[in-house]
């Protein structure tokens, strides 16, 4: 991953010193082996011209670096409590050219103890101006290990102890990989998705239960069972050719207990609670609660998820810079379109503010979304860019996952209709949009890898499932769906990760059912797949859905309706939860349906007179493109 081409140079090899080098004596003794330099390389032309290098090697902290070439200046050298680390802060000159810089690590006696070449690359044209995801997109969340196995040769890798066991849904690795995703990009694009969000793909070299990716053991290396760094970059490039962007899932809060740091911590305070397991109580409101005790605030951001997932002390300035640079490195190296941040609010709040601000400084149009698993809109809104918080906290996060509205939707569809339940509760939930600076940047989802599947939660009711999917894709939000929803995949009703993360049929050679081709699917599954494909591909070309204003009407007798408007373009949605057809008078919609209004219904293609009354089928959902007289 990085070049140490002269690590063991012969002492007699000639070396031409530049102005940055002092006169040094000849090499004496053997050189120290450097385990790694991170980031492994960097770029010229970045907005932030400062770069922090973390160097790891035996006693490397007892040396000082000297760097060849012009345009690069050492600002600060910091030794960590662990002498096997050295932190180098560099300033990259505005006019510095790309290329390799040679680094000598010199001890107090002037002897060269280690050497390395460090490369600065040229950025891709337009990199800083990349556009992220937003309400014009539809995001597919998938779990690489469970989506498709494109390269069985990488299923078992030397040194990676958690082995293949496809018979175990709960904890076993199944062999899905980046190659599998790449081979099915055409299917994803054909379905109408414009973004994919794979769960984390960096190395998780844990002894067991590592397939999910949320226990990183190396932040700069793709897990070899999924592919390589180069294959990840290739996936992003190929996805772009299909009109699809890639969102990277990032974990800032914790690591796996087999992370290489844990064998040789840079400092005792690198991990919270001095490296001792103290579980978090998940008291997420404490960060903004004016009455919260300090001990509870500390526990929320410093408590561990489990003994196998040590909690990172993001307040440590060296670690904070390391994590910020790591995110920027992947954006630049792979060509990402966005970041989804796991367990967002569990990290140090000051660090989160700095992390989001620094990324947007480099990429002003980039998109990030954080996971704040709370159904309280106030808790979610705190982290959004532009939100004025009573305690003065300022965030730069463009979006968060919309857990409050997702929860309201599921409850509305599964509850009976009354004055304060069913559609009425969903209608009232939208009043919370006043808490959000830009509701359309919230990601509204029907499910993900942590939830029971939508079709199961809705009691395998296709009518309710259609209502949910229409709502998610026509609200002023950025919609996200979960792999397998299109073929009505099921799970346990209560949370069961293994059941919710089963393999996508057809992703493995020999599968009896192949959802990519349709072979073996039931008629119901084929119908659902075709129906969702129609919806997503229609949505892709509807600016009124991407940017239009929303007006909704209070539900009456189990019927809920709303309209999106952009200039002269309008789309109107009607949902009927009743077990019989509902004939509704359209006079109450006069402000959006003038006399003589017509509409083309999306799924049937029929043109309907919307000037007097409308018949909504039992448990039906209708989507009209309106034509005004």
């Amino acid at each position: 991953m990085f070049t140490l081409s002269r690590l063991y140079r012969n002492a007699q090899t000639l070396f031409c010193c530049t102005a940055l080098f002092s006169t040094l004596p000849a090499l004496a003794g053997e050189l120290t082996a450097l385990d790694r330099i991170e980031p492994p390389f960097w770029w010229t032309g970045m907005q932030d011209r400062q770069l922090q290098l973390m160097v790891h090697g035996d006693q490397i902290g007892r040396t000082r670096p000297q760097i060849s070439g012009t345009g690069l200046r050492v600002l600060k050298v910091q030794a960590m409590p662990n002498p096997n680390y050295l932190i180098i802060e560099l300033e990259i000159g505005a006019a510095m050219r790309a290329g390799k810089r040679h680094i000598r690590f010199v001890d107090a006696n002037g002897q060269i103890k280690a050497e390395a070449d460090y490369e600065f690359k040229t950025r891709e044209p337009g990199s800083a101006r990349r556009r992220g995801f937003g309400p014009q997109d539809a995001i597919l969340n998938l779990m690489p290990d469970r989506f498709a196995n494109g390269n069985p040769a990488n299923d078992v890798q030397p040194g990676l102890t958690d082995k293949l066991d496809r018979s175990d849904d709960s904890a076993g690795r199944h062999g899905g990989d980046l190659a599998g995703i790449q081979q099915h990009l055409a299917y994803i694009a054909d379905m109408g998705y414009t973004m994919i969000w794979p769960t984390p793909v960096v190395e998780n070299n844990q002894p067991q239960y590592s397939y999910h990716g949320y226990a990183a053991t190396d932040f700069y290396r793709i897990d070899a069972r999924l592919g390589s760094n180069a294959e990840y970059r290739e996936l992003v490039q190929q996805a772009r050719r299909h009109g699809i962007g890639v969102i990277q899932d990032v974990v800032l809060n914790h690591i796996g207990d087999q992370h290489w740091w844990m064998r040789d911590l840079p400092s005792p305070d690198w991990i919270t609670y001095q490296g001792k397991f103290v579980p978090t109580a998940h008291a997420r409101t404490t960060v903004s609660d004016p009455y919260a005790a300090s001990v509870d605030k500390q526990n929320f951001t410093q408590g561990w998820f489990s003994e196998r997932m040590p909690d990172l002390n993001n307040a440590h300035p060296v670690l904070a810079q390391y994590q910020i640079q790591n995110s920027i490195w992947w954006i630049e190296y792979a060509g990402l379109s966005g970041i989804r941040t796991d367990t967002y609010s569990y990290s140090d709040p000051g660090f989160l503010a700095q992390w989001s601000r620094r990324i947007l400084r480099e990429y002003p149009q980039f998109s990030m979304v954080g996971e704040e698993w709370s159904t309280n809109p106030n808790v979610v809104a705190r982290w959004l860019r532009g939100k004025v918080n009573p305690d003065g906290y300022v965030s730069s996060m463009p979006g968060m996952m919309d857990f409050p509205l997702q929860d309201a939707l599921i409850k509305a569809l599964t509850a009976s209709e009354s004055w304060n339940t069913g559609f009425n509760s969903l209608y009232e939930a939208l009043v919370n949009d006043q808490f959000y600076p830009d509701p359309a940047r919230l990601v509204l989802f029907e499910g993900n890898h942590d939830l029971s599947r939508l079709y199961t939660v809705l009691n395998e009711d296709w009518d309710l499932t259609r209502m949910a999917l229409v709502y998610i894709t026509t609200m002023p939000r950025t919609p996200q769906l979960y792999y397998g929803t299109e073929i009505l995949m099921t799970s346990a009703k209560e949370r069961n990760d293994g059941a919710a993360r089963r393999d996508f049929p057809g992703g493995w050679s020999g599968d009896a059912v192949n959802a990519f081709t349709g072979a073996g699917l039931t008629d119901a599954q084929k119908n659902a797949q075709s129906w969702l494909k129609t919806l997503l591909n229609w949505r892709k070309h509807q600016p009124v859905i991407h940017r239009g204003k929303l007006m909704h009407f209070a539900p009456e007798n189990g019927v809920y309706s709303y309209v999106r408007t952009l200039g002269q373009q309008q789309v109107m949605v009607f949902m009927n939860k009743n077990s019989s057809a509902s004939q509704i008078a359209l006079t109450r919609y006069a402000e959006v349906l003038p006399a003589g209004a017509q509409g083309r219904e999306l799924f049937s293609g029929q043109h309907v007179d919307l000037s007097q009354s409308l018949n909504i089928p039992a448990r039906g959902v209708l989507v009209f493109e309106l034509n005004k007289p």
Side-chain angles (χ1 to χ4, degrees):
M1 294 174 59
F2 54 90
T3 303
L4 300 177
S5 60
R6 286 178 278 190
L7 190 58
Y8 297 106
R9 288 184 64 202
N10 186 281
Q12 302 304 315
T13 302
L14 296 177
F15 181 78
C16 242
C17 295
T18 69
L20 286 180
F21 280 89
S22 60
T23 303
L24 298 171
L27 295 173
E30 293 187 3
L31 297 180
T32 297
L34 297 182
D35 295 325
R36 59 183 75 216
I37 300 178
E38 292 179 339
F41 52 81
W42 202 248
W43 295 265
T44 60
M46 302 295 281
Q47 182 71 25
D48 190 340
R49 301 215 306 268
Q50 293 190 16
L51 174 66
Q52 172 186 283
L53 299 183
M54 173 185 280
V55 186
H56 185 247
D58 184 38
Q59 300 295 303
I60 198 66
R62 303 188 188 283
T63 69
R64 289 294 179 266
Q66 295 178 331
I67 304 177
S68 68
T70 58
L72 195 64
R73 185 164 67 96
V74 176
L75 294 177
K76 181 181 178 182
V77 178
Q78 179 178 346
M80 301 294 284
N82 184 340
N84 293 335
Y85 289 85
L86 186 68
I87 307 302
I88 310 172
E89 294 182 19
L90 300 173
E91 183 180 61
I92 305 167
M96 194 182 92
R97 295 182 179 181
K100 292 181 180 179
R101 297 294 187 272
H102 191 65
I103 308 175
R104 288 177 167 176
F105 297 88
V106 182
D107 68 12
N109 296 320
Q111 294 184 341
I112 301 173
K113 306 303 293 184
E115 299 188 78
D117 284 326
Y118 193 84
E119 185 175 9
F120 289 89
K121 297 178 179 289
T122 301
R123 303 180 73 183
E124 294 289 334
S127 175
R129 297 188 300 277
R130 71 185 68 216
R131 183 185 65 83
F133 60 85
Q136 72 280 358
D137 292 298
I139 303 169
L140 173 64
N141 170 219
L142 56 85
M143 183 160 278
D145 181 68
R146 305 293 172 92
F147 186 67
N149 189 351
N151 179 19
N154 66 19
D155 289 352
V156 178
Q157 293 288 323
L160 300 181
T161 55
D162 192 9
K163 303 301 183 185
L164 191 72
D165 185 0
R166 198 180 173 201
S167 66
D168 182 359
D169 282 336
S170 296
R173 281 191 171 263
H174 289 196
D177 51 25
L178 301 178
I181 300 173
Q182 184 169 325
Q183 289 170 13
H184 297 292
L185 287 171
Y187 170 83
I188 295 171
D190 193 49
M191 280 298 302
Y193 292 104
T194 58
M195 292 281 162
I196 56 173
W197 154 33
T199 50
V201 293
V202 295
E203 182 189 273
N204 272 229
N205 191 11
Q206 295 288 107
Q208 58 185 2
Y209 191 45
S210 67
Y211 74 89
H212 54 72
Y214 290 97
T217 56
D218 191 324
F219 281 121
Y220 281 100
R221 181 179 298 161
I222 298 296
D223 195 292
R225 290 158 294 195
L226 300 179
S228 65
N229 286 21
E231 287 175 289
Y232 183 53
R233 181 182 169 93
E234 175 65 17
L235 169 64
V236 176
Q237 293 173 344
Q238 290 298 324
R240 190 179 298 119
R241 295 186 180 102
H242 284 84
I244 298 170
V246 175
I247 301 167
Q248 187 177 61
D249 204 337
V250 170
V251 185
L252 301 172
N253 178 68
H254 54 265
I255 55 177
D257 65 353
Q258 298 302 305
H259 191 287
W260 68 270
W261 281 333
M262 299 303 293
R263 297 189 295 273
D264 196 30
L265 282 175
S267 64
D269 58 348
W270 201 252
I271 303 297
T272 59
Y273 289 114
Q274 298 296 303
K276 296 179 181 180
F277 172 59
V278 177
T280 178
H282 304 284
R284 62 190 69 251
T285 59
T286 56
V287 294
S288 56
D289 180 358
Y291 312 113
S294 297
V295 66
D296 295 327
K297 291 183 179 182
Q298 178 187 19
N299 174 264
F300 175 63
T301 58
Q302 298 188 21
W304 297 24
F305 266 66
S306 75
E307 289 188 81
R308 305 308 299 268
M309 292 181 173
D311 196 85
L312 291 172
N313 178 18
N314 316 109
H316 194 295
V318 173
L319 177 56
Q321 179 72 350
Y322 179 99
Q323 291 187 289
I324 292 167
Q325 290 182 172
N326 179 253
S327 295
I328 292 172
W329 188 90
W330 280 111
I331 295 168
E332 194 72 24
Y333 169 75
L336 300 175
S337 294
I339 284 177
R340 179 264 183 185
T341 312
D342 183 68
T343 56
Y344 184 80
S345 61
Y346 288 82
S347 294
D348 177 78
F351 160 73
L352 291 173
Q354 183 186 14
W355 179 83
S356 57
R357 182 178 66 251
R358 289 273 301 278
I359 290 176
L360 289 180
R361 186 184 177 198
E362 293 292 349
Y363 310 98
Q365 300 178 71
F366 194 68
S367 295
M368 298 175 287
V369 60
E371 179 196 38
E372 172 57 281
W373 197 333
S374 172
T375 58
N376 185 334
N378 260 317
V379 173
V380 173
R382 171 181 176 80
W383 305 107
L384 290 168
R385 176 176 58 189
K387 177 66 167 64
V388 178
N389 289 303
D391 63 357
Y393 182 78
V394 177
S395 173
S396 297
M397 282 295 284
M400 299 294 290
M401 304 299 294
D402 197 348
F403 279 90
L405 192 55
Q406 188 269 349
D407 180 70
L409 174 62
I410 298 301
K411 288 179 177 176
L413 292 175
T414 53
S416 59
E417 291 296 309
S418 74
W419 69 273
N420 66 346
T421 61
F423 279 148
N424 283 290
S425 64
L426 184 61
Y427 172 81
E428 292 183 354
L430 283 181
V431 73
N432 293 317
D433 275 18
Q434 63 188 301
F435 294 120
Y436 307 129
D438 187 356
R441 299 306 295 267
L442 295 173
V443 174
L444 180 58
F445 55 98
E446 50 83 16
N448 60 36
H449 58 283
D450 287 329
L451 300 176
S452 296
R453 285 191 171 273
L454 177 70
Y455 192 52
T456 296
V457 171
L458 297 179
N459 302 310
E460 299 190 15
D461 186 321
W462 171 233
D463 295 327
L464 293 180
T465 302
R466 288 188 301 130
M467 292 182 202
L469 294 173
V470 166
Y471 186 87
I472 287 164
T473 55
T474 57
M475 277 288 108
R477 293 294 193 272
T478 301
Q480 175 255 297
L481 278 62
Y482 187 42
Y483 80 99
T485 294
E486 74 271 33
I487 57 166
L488 308 178
M489 285 181 69
T490 59
S491 66
K493 205 156 195 178
E494 300 301 322
R495 178 168 178 173
N496 181 317
D497 289 346
R501 302 170 182 177
R502 292 192 180 109
D503 297 342
F504 190 73
W508 281 254
S509 177
D511 282 359
V513 177
N514 190 330
F516 296 114
T517 65
L521 293 178
T522 66
D523 289 343
Q525 288 176 312
K526 290 179 181 178
N527 175 60
Q529 190 179 49
S530 176
W531 180 90
L532 184 56
K533 179 179 176 180
T534 297
L535 176 62
L536 293 179
N537 279 284
W538 166 82
R539 186 191 189 281
K540 188 188 299 184
H541 305 290
Q542 296 295 323
V544 64
I545 300 299
H546 307 160
R547 305 192 304 275
K549 293 182 179 179
L550 171 71
M551 177 185 292
H552 65 158
F553 296 82
E556 286 187 345
N557 302 317
V559 174
Y560 182 32
S561 56
Y562 53 90
V563 63
R564 302 289 307 277
T565 304
L566 183 65
Q568 295 301 306
Q569 188 182 14
Q570 286 187 306
V571 168
M572 193 161 189
V573 176
F574 293 88
M575 298 179 184
N576 175 21
K577 275 180 67 182
N578 298 300
S579 57
S580 59
S582 293
Q583 188 80 17
I584 62 171
L586 296 175
T587 52
R588 74 178 293 230
Y589 306 106
E591 59 191 303
V592 295
L593 290 176
Q598 303 281 320
R600 175 188 173 275
E601 207 284 314
L602 170 62
F603 299 105
S604 68
Q606 294 181 345
H607 291 268
V608 179
D609 181 2
L610 297 174
S611 59
Q612 299 296 324
S613 64
L614 176 68
N615 183 68
I616 309 174
R619 301 176 66 75
V621 55
L622 301 175
V623 180
F624 290 104
E625 292 178 292
L626 301 183
N627 298 312
K628 295 182 178 180

